[in-house]
Amino acid sequence: MILKIILLILFLLLLILLSFFTLYILIPSITKNDKKKDDPLVPLYLSPVILPEEKKYIPSDKKAYVLCSCNKECKLSRSLFNEQYTCTMAKTTFGSSLDCKFACLGLGDCVKICPQEAIKIENMTAVITNNCCGCGKCVSVCPQHIIDLIPTDTKKAVVCSNDSSENTSCSKLNCEENITWNDKKDFKIWEYCYRILKRFK
C-alpha cells in the first residue's frame, strides 16, 4: 500500500515537471518565431539598451582660471553658508558676505559641474587644477562671473575681478600673480607611482 502511494506521488511530480517544461520552455521556444516581432504590447525582441556615449572632452589650448585669489585675506571674515546652499542661491539671497562683492562664494557650483573634477575649494575660493580641459562649463555656471578661459601658456595675470572703485580690505585687490595650475594630491601620488613603475620597465 505504501509503495503504491510513493509511486503515485512520484508520478504526479513527474507529470508536473513535464507540464512545466512543456508550457514554459518547449512551447514558447517553438512559437517564438511565429509571433509578430512588432507587437506593441508584448515585445518579444527587446532591442539592447544603448546608453549615451560618454562625452569626452578634448583638451584645448585654454584653461579655466578663477579671477579671485585663494591666498586673499580680508578684514571682514565671511560667515559660513549652509553647505546645502549653491553659489547661485547665496548670490541671490545674501550677495557676498565678504566686503568685496566680486569675491568667489566658495560653495562649489563649479566643482559639481566640472566633468574633469579639475576644481577644488581652498580658502573658500575655487582653484583650477592641472587636469582642466578648458570645456568652459564652470564659466557659465559661476554667478559671480569670475571664471575665465585663458591660454595655457599665460604666465601672469591679474587675479581679481574687482574693477570698480569700491573700497575693500582684500589683500589681493587687483594684484598680479604667477599662474600655475596645481595637480590634485591624489593625481600627484598616481603620477609618482607611474614614474617608479616606468623606471623598472
Side-chain angles (χ1 to χ4, degrees), residues 97-128:
S97 59
L98 287 169
D99 61 347
C100 176
K101 68 177 183 180
F102 298 91
C104 177
L105 297 172
L107 292 170
D109 286 14
C110 52
V111 175
K112 295 165 192 167
I113 203 170
C114 180
Q116 298 292 105
E117 298 182 1
I119 308 175
K120 56 185 178 179
I121 302 295
E122 287 182 7
N123 189 25
M124 311 296 274
T125 309
V127 177
I128 311 296

Side-chain angles (χ1 to χ4, degrees), residues 1 16 53 76 93 103 125 140 145 147 155 158 173 186:
M1 183 70 181
I16 291 168
E53 192 174 323
L76 181 63
T93 310
T125 309
S140 57
H145 307 293
I147 304 179
K155 302 298 180 186
V158 176
L173 176 66
D186 53 344

Side-chain angles (χ1 to χ4, degrees), residues 30-41:
I30 293 170
T31 58
K32 186 176 182 181
N33 295 327
D34 297 330
K35 292 185 180 180
K36 293 181 180 179
K37 294 179 182 179
D38 56 349
D39 187 347
L41 296 175

Side-chain angles (χ1 to χ4, degrees), residues 21-145:
F21 175 80
T22 305
L23 291 172
Y24 292 98
I25 298 174
L26 187 60
I27 292 175
S29 65
I30 293 170
T31 58
K32 186 176 182 181
N33 295 327
D34 297 330
K35 292 185 180 180
K36 293 181 180 179
K37 294 179 182 179
D38 56 349
D39 187 347
L41 296 175
V42 186
L44 293 172
Y45 292 90
L46 296 175
S47 58
V49 177
I50 300 172
L51 295 173
E53 192 174 323
E54 186 178 346
K55 188 174 180 182
K56 293 179 181 177
Y57 295 92
I58 301 168
S60 68
D61 58 346
K62 291 186 175 182
K63 287 193 177 186
Y65 200 76
V66 181
L67 299 174
C68 185
S69 176
C70 65
N71 302 312
K72 66 181 180 294
E73 293 177 6
C74 294
K75 290 177 183 176
L76 181 63
S77 61
R78 194 182 90 176
S79 58
L80 292 173
F81 292 125
N82 190 317
E83 289 182 3
Q84 295 179 349
Y85 290 169
T86 63
C87 293
T88 305
M89 185 190 302
K91 170 78 173 176
T92 307
T93 310
F94 304 105
S96 174
S97 59
L98 287 169
D99 61 347
C100 176
K101 68 177 183 180
F102 298 91
C104 177
L105 297 172
L107 292 170
D109 286 14
C110 52
V111 175
K112 295 165 192 167
I113 203 170
C114 180
Q116 298 292 105
E117 298 182 1
I119 308 175
K120 56 185 178 179
I121 302 295
E122 287 182 7
N123 189 25
M124 311 296 274
T125 309
V127 177
I128 311 296
T129 63
N130 194 39
N131 53 322
C132 171
C133 67
C135 69
K137 285 193 167 189
C138 55
V139 176
S140 57
V141 80
C142 178
Q144 294 287 74
H145 307 293

Side-chain angles (χ1 to χ4, degrees), residues 132-174:
C132 171
C133 67
C135 69
K137 285 193 167 189
C138 55
V139 176
S140 57
V141 80
C142 178
Q144 294 287 74
H145 307 293
I146 60 170
I147 304 179
D148 197 9
L149 292 177
I150 61 173
T152 52
D153 57 356
T154 306
K155 302 298 180 186
K156 285 189 175 183
V158 176
V159 288
C160 179
S161 62
N162 190 348
D163 55 0
S164 72
S165 58
E166 290 186 13
N167 293 326
T168 175
S169 65
C170 181
S171 61
K172 295 293 180 180
L173 176 66
N174 294 327

